Structures are given as structure tokens and as C-alpha cells.
Amino acid sequence: MDLNTIKQVTRPKTRGELGSWRDGDAFLAGGTWLFSEPQPKLTRLVDLSLLGWEPLTASADGLEIAATCTVAQLDALTPPVEWTAAPLIGQCCRAFLASFKIWNAATVGGNICMSLPAGPMISLTAALDGEALLWAPDGTERRATIVDFVKGPLSNALKSGELMRSILLPAAALTARTAFRQVSLANHGRSGALVIGTLSGNGAFALTITASTPRPVRLAFDALPSIDELHARIEETVDAWYDDIHGLPAWRRHMTLHFAQEIVSELGEGAR
Ligand SMILES: Cc1cc2nc3c(=O)[nH]c(=O)nc-3n(C[C@H](O)[C@H](O)[C@H](O)COP(=O)(O)OP(=O)(O)OC[C@H]3O[C@@H](n4cnc5c(N)ncnc54)[C@H](O)[C@@H]3O)c2cc1C
């Protein structure tokens, strides 16, 4: 839709051209959410599309994903064979309630900065120990894990004028074994629960719960826990199950506990 309060769109090509931040500004990435509803408080958009950031950089450190990398570009990645966790990329891209038009425009950074419970790029990067690089308007930068970055629905750790530059998925996380479970109330509906298990080479296990909780929940264990132990930890850690039109809290809790059980069985089978 037309945003009829916007008076200016800037198109910086370098960090220096980002300029100073003022009330009414918003970064424009793919625009799939920004242009989907009225934005009466916004007067200026800072378009990130000309910054020319390399979408994906694979190295010995892991995978650096530019915030402006689109979902389609991420899905098209050909990962190194040793990245056993790579199937999660396609699984999370397909957890989007979206057509190819959205895939080609929506960015990884935009999805994380929206901070919706059903943000599949949040699920992916939280499960793989992702760490965001954030640029402040004063030229400084800082890093935040995705689990800490997302605070709740439409709420995150970004300070005024701060820009997400990239997300690093460390090599150690990319070589884990993984198990993925996702459910929606309706075919192609927004995720009601999305749960990912990772089992590292040293035997450490982590369960990352998204979509069923208002913010990502990551539970870490030195070794694969028993199902009872895992269920007990979920019940004691999750203080709220998300409630919206895409699913009731009781159903989300039930599906999360069920998926946790399946994930422990699946990763336990492989370990034997
Ligand atoms: C048909 C449809 C289906 C959708 N399905 C889903 C879904 O299943 N799950 C889901 O989570 N969302 C969904 N969305 C919402 C939204 O489109 C996605 O979250 C999308 O990933 C947003 O990315 P974008 O690049 O288009 O962001 P934009 O719309 O450009 O921006 C979104 C917000 O993030 C800010 N932002 C963007 N990039 C940065 C950055 N690098 N640094 C700081 N702030 C930034 C913007 O200022 C804005 O506030 C859907 C939308 C549509 C229209």
C-alpha cells in the first residue's frame, strides 16, 4: 500500500551515507511488512538495498548472513558438505507463510527485526547460535545473540537508529546434527510451534522453541536428556505460551512437548 505520510526516501550506498537518525525514520529492507499496513508515525525511509552487502559469506568461522540477504538467496545456498545442520535452512525458509513474491523480497534481517513469534529466520538463527552485528548511528557497533535480541512480539534489543548489519552462524553450530518439527493450524498457516533440536559432536544438546512462545527459548544440556528431564525443563522455563489467532496456548504447549519428545527420540536413534 502507499505510505502517504512518507516525505523522503534516502538511498545510502555506504555506512557514512546512512546519516543521522530522527523521529519518524525507519529502515526499509524488503518492505513486505512495512508496505503491508499503514505506518502513520513514519515520515522517512532509509532504503538498505543499495548498501551492496554480500548476501552470504561462508568461511572457516561459519556463515555470515547479511541482514539484507533475501529468504530466496538464503534458500539457494549450496553449503559445504560438512555443514550437517544445513537442511535447517530450507526447512525454516519453508516455514514462512509466504509466496515466492515474499521470498524474493523479504530479508533475513527484516524478519528478525520484526520479531514476530512465528519469524522462521529467528527460529533458524536462534537454534544455530546466531549472533547479530548491530551498527549504532554514532559509528560504534555491538553484538547480541539472537536469543537475547528478540524480546517478544514486535519487541527487540534494537536501540533508536540501530541497524542490524549481519548474523553469524558459527561453524561449530553448523556441524551439529539437527531435528526439526513445525506445525500450523491451517495448511500454509503461520507457525503455531516450531521446535529445533541440535546435537553437537561433543554430545551437547540444545532445544530451541519458537512460535509457541512469545520469544525464543533455548534449553541447553551437556548430553541428550531423558524425555522426562526435557519436559520438566520446558515446563519450568517457559513462563508463557503464545496466544493469538494462529493457535491457543494449550495447543501450542501440547505440540511443543510432543515435538520435544520426537526430537529426543530422533537424535537419540542416530546417536546409538
Ligand atoms: C504474505 C505475507 C506473509 C508473511 N508471513 C510471515 C511469517 O510466516 N512469519 C513472519 O515472521 N512474518 C511474516 N510476514 C511479515 C514480514 O513480511 C516478514 O517478517 C519479513 O521477513 C519482513 O522482512 P522485510 O525485509 O520485508 O522487512 P521490512 O518490511 O522492510 O521491515 C520490517 C521491519 O524491520 C525493520 N528492519 C528491516 N531491516 C532492518 C535492519 N537490517 N536493521 C534494523 N531494522 C530493520 C524495518 O524498519 C521494519 O520495522 C509476512 C508478510 C506477508 C505480506
Side-chain angles (χ1 to χ4, degrees):
M1 68 165 57
D2 289 342
L3 300 181
N4 56 14
T5 54
I6 300 296
K7 297 190 171 63
Q8 193 188 2
V9 179
T10 64
R11 295 199 163 82
K13 293 199 177 99
T14 63
R15 184 173 184 180
E17 288 176 18
L18 283 168
S20 54
W21 189 258
R22 59 189 196 207
D23 282 351
D25 282 355
F27 292 117
L28 168 63
T32 59
W33 176 77
L34 270 177
F35 290 107
S36 72
E37 55 183 76
Q39 308 287 353
K41 294 190 179 143
L42 298 187
T43 51
R44 185 168 72 154
L45 297 177
V46 180
D47 183 352
L48 305 178
S49 64
L50 297 185
L51 284 161
W53 297 335
E54 189 60 34
L56 295 162
T57 310
S59 71
D61 292 337
L63 178 65
E64 187 186 87
I65 307 171
T68 47
C69 174
T70 63
V71 174
Q73 286 170 325
L74 180 62
D75 186 59
L77 172 76
T78 307
V81 281
E82 62 273 20
W83 287 3
T84 44
L88 274 186
I89 294 175
Q91 288 165 329
C92 288
C93 290
R94 276 158 195 78
F96 245 104
L97 159 67
S99 67
F100 72 94
K101 285 186 284 187
I102 301 292
W103 268 42
N104 281 305
T107 64
V108 176
N111 188 248
I112 298 171
C113 292
M114 279 297 301
S115 303
L116 293 170
M121 299 298 102
I122 298 171
S123 313
L124 173 71
T125 54
L128 293 182
D129 294 336
E131 196 178 64
L133 173 62
L134 306 174
W135 282 0
D138 65 4
T140 58
E141 45 194 59
R142 66 184 176 111
R143 291 180 187 274
T145 65
I146 298 300
V147 172
D148 289 338
F149 177 83
V150 179
K151 302 283 185 204
L154 299 172
S155 167
N156 59 47
L158 280 177
K159 297 178 185 155
S160 176
E162 228 174 3
L163 173 66
M164 181 176 285
R165 166 64 183 84
S166 58
I167 306 98
L168 178 70
L169 304 182
L174 286 160
T175 52
R177 285 184 48 229
T178 64
F180 169 96
R181 296 290 187 281
Q182 181 263 354
V183 68
S184 306
L185 264 187
N187 270 350
H188 310 299
R190 207 166 264 200
S191 297
L194 197 163
V195 187
I196 295 172
T198 56
L199 191 63
S200 305
N202 65 5
F205 170 79
L207 190 82
T208 306
I209 303 169
T210 50
S212 57
T213 49
R215 50 171 296 179
V217 173
R218 194 158 190 284
L219 307 174
F221 298 81
D222 292 337
L224 202 62
S226 69
I227 288 161
D228 288 347
E229 199 184 340
L230 183 56
H231 278 178
R233 180 81 82 85
I234 293 172
E235 298 281 29
E236 112 200 353
T237 311
V238 175
D239 49 18
W241 297 98
Y242 194 50
D243 186 6
D244 76 353
I245 194 166
H246 301 287
L248 291 171
W251 172 72
R252 293 180 195 259
R253 172 181 167 274
H254 174 82
M255 292 312 300
T256 302
L257 294 173
H258 175 69
F259 286 159
Q261 180 167 355
E262 287 191 351
I263 286 170
V264 166
S265 303
E266 181 181 324
L267 292 176
E269 276 301 310
R272 275 194 280 279

